[in-house]
Amino acid sequence: TSGDIPNLFDEKQLDIINDKFKSVCMGEGLPTTKISMYARFIREVRNNLHLVLAFSPIGDVFRTRIRMFPSLINCCTIDWFSDWPEEALFSVGKAQLDASGVSFESDDQVKTIANVFTSLHQSALATTERFFEETNRRSYVTPTSYLSLISTFLKLLTRKRKYVISQRSRLVNG
């Protein structure tokens, strides 16, 4: 595409763009007409504007979008992300636990919990593969699922700790 969206800017905004790019055009020996300065602005935008679009490849919505907007395939760089290795799962789990602000008895306990997260995620991956082989239906376990597991664990842990403290207080105080 050209990078130019018609009527995107009103007159006041165009004047600001022209003021900013007048000196740029003069420095490059380009004419200082409105069209020339706007064309230089568009070139600058094309060189410096980068967009990241994230789509889930699951389901018909993705296929429909690709059919409706073929430039998503033709004019984009597509990075397909594969499963995280075991070391990455452990590292992310440990970092999330450390950053959570939830207190643990020791660093060994944090490592053990991160290992459990890693095992659960890998077990879920293996189960989804077995499910596909048996039913010929896809089910996906993504890195987002892994992060959601950690987040849910931390919320549940916090809630249960508060509950235990309140129950202990009731028991002690009668």
Side-chain angles (χ1 to χ4, degrees), residues 107-124:
D107 192 47
D108 285 339
Q109 187 181 32
V110 172
K111 288 178 183 176
T112 302
I113 294 169
N115 276 325
V116 170
F117 289 153
T118 302
S119 296
L120 286 172
H121 187 74
Q122 289 177 327
S123 173

Side-chain angles (χ1 to χ4, degrees), residues 136-156:
N136 205 24
R137 290 175 46 204
R138 277 275 173 215
S139 178
Y140 294 94
V141 179
T142 64
T144 304
S145 306
Y146 184 68
L147 296 173
S148 179
L149 166 70
I150 297 168
S151 173
T152 302
F153 169 79
L154 290 169
K155 287 177 188 173
L156 186 61

Side-chain angles (χ1 to χ4, degrees), residues 152-169:
T152 302
F153 169 79
L154 290 169
K155 287 177 188 173
L156 186 61
L157 179 65
T158 302
R159 188 180 326 142
K160 289 298 180 181
R161 281 183 176 178
K162 286 180 183 176
Y163 176 76
V164 167
I165 289 170
S166 72
Q167 291 299 311
R168 184 177 64 191
S169 175

Side-chain angles (χ1 to χ4, degrees), residues 13-81:
Q13 292 170 325
L14 285 173
D15 289 340
I16 293 170
I17 291 169
N18 290 337
D19 287 344
K20 300 266 184 199
F21 277 85
K22 188 172 188 171
S23 61
V24 174
C25 287
M26 288 174 69
E28 293 178 357
L30 299 171
T32 56
T33 63
K34 285 186 175 186
I35 293 171
S36 175
M37 289 186 286
Y38 187 71
R40 179 62 181 90
F41 167 72
I42 292 297
R43 192 171 83 212
E44 190 75 15
V45 168
R46 260 194 245 140
N47 289 337
N48 293 305
L49 181 65
H50 305 282
L51 297 175
V52 175
L53 302 174
F55 294 104
S56 172
I58 301 169
D60 293 329
V61 176
F62 181 69
R63 286 192 253 342
T64 303
R65 284 191 184 126
I66 294 300
R67 278 189 223 110
M68 289 173 55
F69 307 105
S71 62
L72 287 174
I73 297 291
N74 300 334
C75 303
C76 295
T77 301
I78 299 175
D79 290 330
W80 295 96
F81 296 99

